[in-house]
Amino acid sequence: MPRPAEPISAIKAQQLRQLLSNLVKWHHLDDTPNRILNQGTILKPDRRSGQLKPRSGTFTSGLIATLESGQQIVLYQTDIGHAGELIDEILRLRHSGLAKPTIMCDALSRNLPTVLDETQRHDTFCNSHCRRGFVDVAELHPDKVPWVLALYDPVWHHDAHCKKEKYTPAERLAYHQQHSLPLMAQLKQWGEAQIESGDTEPTASPSLCLSLSGRLRGRHAMVA
């Protein structure tokens, strides 16, 4: 039976981050809003520009780290910061010369690491997050969203088939590449056409644009 989480010291936390940074094959991460009652606004450097900016949003970031052995470690951190900042803390300790880590998250830039560029990591983005973005704006775009959701339906059926047949991760990936990737290619092509034609206006529906851009950025999810 799994042991409940216990508070750990700063030294143990550093040791754990170093362990995660060097032995992990997969990093699955996300965050969700939370509260720290006595937490006020702080100045924090922007991860990309280094410019100090006032920050007040508190989030709990969660990380599931899958080691080469298959063992999983779950790490939570609640502070003024996003999941991308947590993964930066971990990857900053990673030894050079190791194989590229695989990062699994939604396609929001705030959740992506900045200490490794795109050539130093494998990014895989979440189709559940992307599909949910379209569902959220379905009533606003009845002429566009139903087609997208219909395109997604077989992908979910394909994954259910893989689970039913108890495919290995490699078999599951190969099955999706054969059956789901052509559908995702259609969605990518449609999304690019929507953006290039100007039919999708950011000021009119930011969430639809976010869904589109997330799908386009996540185009490698079925490949790698």
Side-chain angles (χ1 to χ4, degrees):
M1 184 174 180
R3 294 176 58 188
E6 298 177 358
I8 56 178
S9 69
I11 294 177
K12 288 185 177 179
Q14 184 75 357
Q15 291 173 337
L16 180 57
R17 289 192 179 101
Q18 192 157 14
L19 170 69
L20 293 179
S21 69
N22 291 304
L23 300 180
V24 172
K25 184 176 181 180
W26 290 83
H27 297 85
H28 292 75
L29 57 142
D30 202 356
D31 57 37
T32 188
N34 207 334
R35 294 183 66 190
I36 299 177
L37 296 180
N38 61 350
Q39 179 65 66
T41 300
I42 63 172
L43 288 176
K44 207 172 180 183
D46 182 88
R47 290 190 298 151
R48 292 174 174 82
S49 69
Q51 181 181 358
L52 286 176
K53 295 183 177 180
R55 298 273 298 276
S56 60
T58 303
F59 293 83
T60 292
S61 299
L63 169 73
I64 301 176
T66 303
L67 308 183
E68 292 285 354
S69 64
Q71 181 184 2
Q72 291 186 327
I73 298 175
V74 180
L75 182 65
Y76 291 99
Q77 176 169 286
T78 300
D79 64 357
I80 295 181
H82 290 290
E85 292 164 274
L86 173 59
I87 195 64
D88 269 351
E89 289 183 45
I90 292 170
L91 295 180
R92 192 174 286 114
L93 302 171
R94 190 175 179 85
H95 296 159
S96 60
L98 294 174
K100 295 180 181 179
T102 298
I103 311 297
M104 174 64 190
C105 61
D106 60 37
L108 294 175
S109 61
R110 73 189 192 193
N111 286 337
L112 291 173
T114 59
V115 297
L116 298 179
D117 63 34
E118 292 182 359
T119 67
Q120 299 173 305
R121 64 183 196 254
H122 294 296
D123 290 340
T124 58
F125 298 116
C126 179
N127 274 297
S128 294
H129 278 87
C130 184
R131 184 184 181 279
R132 188 188 312 156
F134 285 106
V135 171
D136 289 344
V137 296
E139 293 184 1
L140 299 175
H141 300 275
D143 57 329
K144 302 182 192 304
V145 173
W147 179 84
V148 174
L149 299 182
L151 199 66
Y152 258 121
D153 280 348
V155 177
W156 261 248
H157 288 297
H158 296 160
D159 204 51
H161 170 80
C162 293
K163 292 177 181 178
K164 180 180 179 181
E165 298 299 323
K166 299 182 179 179
Y167 285 173
T168 66
E171 291 171 335
R172 182 183 176 196
L173 174 61
Y175 189 88
H176 273 300
Q177 287 176 329
Q178 179 181 355
H179 299 282
S180 303
L181 188 57
L183 301 173
M184 296 295 94
Q186 289 184 52
L187 184 55
K188 176 179 179 289
Q189 184 179 14
W190 175 81
E192 289 176 333
Q194 291 290 308
I195 293 172
E196 291 173 3
S197 68
D199 287 345
T200 301
E201 299 180 10
T203 55
S205 181
S207 50
L208 179 59
C209 288
L210 179 61
S211 297
L212 288 172
S213 62
R215 177 63 259 152
L216 297 178
R217 291 184 58 203
R219 62 190 178 276
H220 302 298
M222 291 292 179
V223 183

